[in-house]
Amino acid sequence: MALSFVTGTMTLTSWGFGAGDIAVMAGAGRFVGNWLMAQRRDRALLDFLALQPEDILQRKGLVDTVALHNRWDKKLVLLKNGRRHVITHPSTGSVVENMDSFTWFMSLLVATLDAAIDSKTLKELVVQLLLAIIGDKTTGSVDYLLNEAQQHIMGWRSSACVRSKHLPGEIPGTDSEEILRLLKWILSGPSCRFTTTSTDIMCLASILSELGLELLVIDYDGRTFDENPSESTKRHGMRIPLNDLKECVTLWPADGNRRNQYRTIFTYGGRAAEGVRLVVSGEQYFLDEEEIDVCYVAEQPAKLLQKRAGEEDTSILNEYLLVPTLRAAQFIAKFNRNWPSTSRQEIGHWLGDVNMSKNTEEEIAHFTPTTRKCLAELQVFLLGYWYTILQPLVDTSQLPVQEAYGSWGWNDIQVVKAIRRLTLAKDTEHHRFPRFEVIRLIGYLFAGAEYDDQLLPLKIRSVGVLGKLALVTAGLMGGADTPEKVGMFFLLDVDASCIPSNSRGIILCGLRKLCPKATTQSIPQAISQSLAESPSGDDDFSSHIEPDWGYDTQRVLVAYRDRGRIVHRVSPIDGDLAVLTSWVKPVRLVQEGEPRDQPFATAIRARLEEYHGGVQIRDRDLTAAEFGAHAEGSSEAELRIVVLTNSLTKARACIVSMYGAGVAALCSNSFAKAAEDTAMAAIIA
């Protein structure tokens, strides 16, 4: 029988989705709520409460479903095979089915609020709004709404994301009551006019109007709004232009000269990081025998700090930078040379004894205004340094706009504490940083993740976090077949319902599935020493993220397929560790015209099809005739099982993960080099 969901005049199968893909999306929708199931969930909610959409949307003509359908349903944006995939109708039709007025309104509302406030406040506001509207119309609704709210919110958010409705911004929590007042008025207000003194509320209404609630008309009395709040105002959430990072401090509330100074100090921080890199380590990070993760080490230039710096500068160099280099010391001295001595001492003492347990202003309440300005300069310098260090680790190629989202604000001591938490995580013996600590800082600086609610609970074997943007490891996207790729992250602006996570938006890897062993039936053959001369001739595997259905649906696995057939489901961290421990470094290949010591090697070549179903292929016993016919003049070490996948990155990542850490050799460019290790069960070349 055919399995499909109707999407307007077309079906999902018409857009290249197989039955397995549809089943995965529908399954995820049942567990967490997504665009595919949002309408059905909302219909079930209203049926349970014995309500119709117009009982909630009491203002007539508020939602024009036909106009919204014609405007937003022309394309579908999904994450497919590790890439942002846009589906459009070949003519002028829609690619997704229309929704009723209730689901449309809630999708537009959640899309606006999700980008404007934190997720905890969003859930509270949505629940309060629904209870206020329907509480007097039905009994027994409170418990049901509280239990079901999160899944409905996920569905509304997903419906908005796939239709590309996403806008950045953040409103202080003190405006929550005013937001709720606005929303109540939009749904069922007795008058046609709403007045407010908050520019945030005006902007929120303006965005809702732009997205499709055309009944909302924004009017003001001609007064000029103050767009420069005082420096003492806490306002988190910063746009990070990835092509010009220093512009992220442009919104700092200060005059033009001060902002130019901040840009210069930010540049100093970036230049202080020159020559320093955070790279993935070939070793593993052990918390205990069961908890193993990827880790990073610092690559540093030759010129380390030789002379003794001042006491205040030493705290910055040793405790807040990756490596205390001479260049960093010079730039620190350059931007803080004009600090008063009392400010230097106050900041130095505070840096040496930062309270990591809470994020309040109490510990710096005694700072003078001058010292606070100096502390702001330090924050800007550290931001410049760490954005420069971490940006090379973040792949932003899948972002429709090259803009990240920082969770920090101006005059924000949380920036200092977030950086200090990473530097404290370095183990003193090997100077390694566990990956989940790196995810914590990248999620804070690039993905707009909430520090207290999302980032602090991060733990070992986390592979990403869902903030304003989604941050995931490259291994979770499939195709991380080299140590360099294992150390990378992807920043995504896609529907996050396709990525399983816990209630805080933390992405945890599932359990590794062991592979049964099987003997290959392939015969020995000559294989070129240089992989560049040995094209595979096959299509690469595809990959997608799916829940660990057999263990915990809030955890993730990477499912690899070969031309639609399942190969194996891989735990992303175990796959990364297999790549790191199996990697064979590149060697210099023989140039044209140079003599070859071993022009060809003889091996048993396994076909990719033999790995379908998660089977781990081993070599077979050779008969004496086969050994003599194919191994003449070759060493026994060369008669190894080999899989030629040199141009197929996802196939390489999948198969080495199936063998596990240290079982197979993962070649970079030479089969002969990998064949030197006789302990390896297979060579992935």
Side-chain angles (χ1 to χ4, degrees):
M1 73 185 235
L3 177 62
S4 66
F5 283 86
V6 175
T7 56
T9 58
M10 307 297 288
T11 62
L12 284 174
T13 51
S14 301
W15 305 117
F17 294 95
D21 299 324
I22 299 171
V24 168
M25 288 189 287
R30 285 192 294 272
F31 275 93
V32 300
N34 65 8
W35 61 276
L36 203 59
M37 305 297 290
Q39 175 72 58
R40 292 165 177 78
R41 280 187 172 277
D42 291 350
R43 186 67 264 170
L45 171 66
L46 295 179
D47 288 345
F48 177 82
L49 300 175
L51 295 174
Q52 296 298 320
E54 53 269 21
D55 295 327
I56 298 175
L57 277 65
Q58 298 175 26
R59 189 178 297 278
K60 302 300 183 182
L62 177 64
V63 177
D64 187 340
T65 58
V66 175
L68 290 170
H69 182 56
N70 291 334
R71 178 181 176 184
W72 291 114
D73 291 348
K74 299 295 185 182
K75 66 179 181 179
L76 192 66
V77 183
L78 301 173
L79 184 66
K80 181 180 180 182
N81 198 21
R83 292 289 181 267
R84 187 174 183 271
H85 187 62
V86 179
I87 299 172
T88 57
H89 198 281
S91 57
T92 59
S94 60
V95 295
V96 287
E97 65 181 347
N98 200 359
M99 302 184 294
D100 65 28
S101 57
F102 174 69
T103 303
W104 265 118
F105 176 80
M106 296 307 299
S107 296
L108 295 175
L109 174 62
V110 169
T112 304
L113 294 180
D114 185 47
I117 57 179
D118 62 80
S119 58
K120 181 180 179 181
T121 306
L122 185 151
K123 180 180 178 181
E124 293 173 352
L125 275 174
V126 170
V127 172
Q128 290 177 37
L129 176 65
L130 291 177
L131 288 177
I133 296 298
I134 68 176
D136 59 345
K137 296 180 175 62
T138 181
T139 58
S141 60
V142 176
D143 291 339
Y144 186 83
L145 278 176
L146 292 177
N147 291 331
E148 295 289 315
Q150 186 60 37
Q151 292 183 335
H152 284 276
I153 290 171
M154 285 293 293
W156 296 325
R157 179 185 291 120
S158 174
S159 296
C161 285
V162 298
R163 292 168 169 85
S164 302
K165 293 189 289 290
H166 178 82
L167 295 165
E170 187 161 312
I171 298 176
T174 53
D175 271 349
S176 294
E177 289 299 323
E178 190 71 356
I179 295 174
L180 186 59
R181 189 171 75 89
L182 169 70
L183 298 179
K184 288 180 180 178
W185 171 81
I186 290 175
L187 287 175
S188 58
S191 70
C192 294
R193 188 171 184 84
F194 179 90
T195 59
T196 180
T197 58
S198 170
T199 56
D200 286 321
I201 300 303
M202 185 193 74
C203 292
L204 192 68
S206 179
I207 293 171
L208 285 170
S209 177
E210 289 292 330
L211 290 180
L213 300 186
E214 297 179 354
L215 279 185
L216 286 177
V217 178
I218 313 302
D219 186 20
Y220 61 95
D221 57 11
R223 290 178 297 175
T224 302
F225 293 106
D226 181 12
E227 298 298 339
N228 293 306
S230 67
E231 290 203 30
S232 61
T233 304
K234 272 285 178 291
R235 192 177 185 90
H236 294 269
M238 295 293 167
R239 294 172 180 263
I240 313 298
L242 296 170
N243 295 326
D244 194 2
L245 288 172
K246 67 179 180 296
E247 290 301 313
C248 69
V249 297
T250 301
L251 295 179
W252 213 286
D255 58 39
N257 291 334
R258 188 68 171 165
R259 290 177 180 176
N260 288 336
Q261 185 179 3
Y262 284 151
R263 291 189 191 95
T264 301
I265 294 174
F266 189 96
T267 303
Y268 286 166
R271 294 177 65 183
E274 290 178 2
V276 181
R277 294 200 311 152
L278 194 62
V279 298
V280 73
S281 171
E283 301 178 1
Q284 303 176 35
Y285 178 85
F286 288 87
L287 188 62
D288 54 46
E289 291 184 359
E290 298 294 329
E291 299 292 326
I292 307 173
D293 206 342
V294 176
C295 61
Y296 292 79
V297 294
E299 278 191 355
Q300 57 200 36
K303 291 185 178 180
L304 296 180
L305 185 63
Q306 301 295 332
K307 64 179 182 179
R308 178 177 175 80
E311 181 179 352
E312 300 83 11
D313 294 351
T314 300
S315 293
I316 300 173
L317 285 164
N318 294 331
E319 298 173 3
Y320 294 90
L321 303 187
L322 199 59
V323 178
T325 63
L326 177 60
R327 188 176 185 85
Q330 292 170 341
F331 278 108
I332 290 174
K334 192 171 183 178
F335 84 81
N336 70 2
R337 65 178 57 164
N338 296 322
W339 288 3
S341 58
T342 54
S343 296
R344 280 176 170 269
Q345 292 174 0
E346 283 183 321
I347 291 175
H349 292 157
W350 178 74
L351 290 175
D353 192 26
V354 167
N355 185 348
M356 303 295 295
S357 62
K358 57 182 179 180
N359 179 36
T360 68
E361 298 292 322
E362 296 176 6
E363 56 199 280
I364 62 171
H366 63 283
F367 282 9
T368 65
T370 300
T371 300
R372 287 177 178 268
K373 286 186 177 181
C374 296
L375 187 58
E377 292 180 0
L378 174 61
Q379 176 189 341
V380 173
F381 176 83
L382 292 176
L383 286 171
Y385 182 89
W386 282 99
Y387 270 113
T388 302
I389 291 289
L390 297 174
Q391 188 181 29
L393 298 179
V394 183
D395 188 321
T396 62
S397 62
Q398 300 306 305
L399 289 178
V401 178
Q402 288 300 298
E403 186 175 81
Y405 194 99
S407 296
W408 50 272
W410 51 71
N411 298 331
D412 192 354
I413 62 174
Q414 190 180 70
V415 172
V416 179
K417 295 185 177 185
I419 292 169
R420 183 60 178 142
R421 187 173 292 276
L422 174 63
T423 59
L424 282 172
K426 179 174 65 175
D427 70 76
T428 56
E429 182 178 357
H430 302 288
H431 305 288
R432 298 174 303 186
F433 300 87
R435 183 162 66 178
F436 72 93
E437 294 286 358
V438 177
I439 293 175
R440 179 177 288 140
L441 188 55
I442 295 179
Y444 179 66
L445 294 180
F446 287 86
E450 297 162 29
Y451 196 78
D452 292 333
D453 292 336
Q454 289 186 290
L455 297 176
L456 284 182
L458 269 173
K459 58 184 180 180
I460 193 169
R461 296 181 71 83
S462 298
V463 290
V465 64
L466 304 179
K468 299 295 185 184
L469 302 173
L471 177 72
V472 300
T473 62
L476 189 58
M477 299 286 279
D481 65 330
T482 67
E484 182 180 5
K485 293 179 183 178
V486 167
M488 294 292 294
F489 300 89
F490 277 82
L491 198 61
L492 306 170
D493 186 6
V494 297
D495 174 20
S497 68
C498 67
I499 306 175
S501 66
N502 65 15
S503 59
R504 295 181 183 270
I506 298 171
I507 307 170
L508 297 168
C509 70
L511 292 182
R512 180 192 173 200
K513 304 295 190 295
L514 298 178
C515 300
K517 297 178 177 63
T519 301
T520 182
Q521 298 302 310
S522 302
I523 61 173
Q525 57 181 288
I527 296 179
S528 172
Q529 177 179 345
S530 170
L531 301 184
E533 302 171 6
S534 307
S536 64
D538 295 310
D539 294 328
D540 200 2
F541 290 176
S542 61
S543 68
H544 65 262
I545 303 167
E546 68 175 43
D548 187 348
W549 300 110
Y551 171 60
D552 184 348
T553 56
Q554 291 187 334
R555 292 175 177 261
V556 295
L557 295 175
V558 183
Y560 287 95
R561 296 178 181 272
D562 183 16
R563 288 161 290 186
R565 295 191 60 184
I566 188 70
V567 180
H568 192 51
R569 292 177 173 87
V570 173
S571 170
I573 282 186
D574 292 325
D576 290 343
L577 294 175
V579 171
L580 294 176
T581 57
S582 305
W583 180 248
V584 179
K585 293 182 179 180
V587 298
R588 190 183 74 85
L589 297 175
V590 177
Q591 301 296 322
E592 186 176 354
E594 294 184 19
R596 295 174 179 266
D597 295 331
Q598 292 179 308
F600 292 96
T602 303
I604 305 172
R605 180 179 176 182
R607 294 172 290 106
L608 295 182
E609 291 81 359
E610 296 184 71
Y611 290 91
H612 289 182
V615 179
Q616 189 183 113
I617 303 301
R618 301 282 179 150
D619 59 349
R620 63 187 181 88
D621 295 331
L622 299 178
T623 64
E626 287 177 326
F627 188 90
H630 297 284
E632 184 176 354
S634 301
S635 65
E636 184 178 355
E638 290 177 323
L639 285 170
R640 312 295 303 283
I641 186 169
V642 62
V643 190
L644 289 181
T645 62
N646 56 292
S647 61
L648 310 178
T649 57
K650 294 196 175 188
R652 287 162 58 83
C654 174
I655 294 173
V656 74
S657 301
M658 292 167 63
Y659 281 103
V663 178
L666 182 62
C667 301
S668 51
N669 65 345
S670 172
F671 164 73
K673 175 68 175 177
E676 293 175 1
D677 189 349
T678 59
M680 293 297 183
I683 298 172
I684 304 168

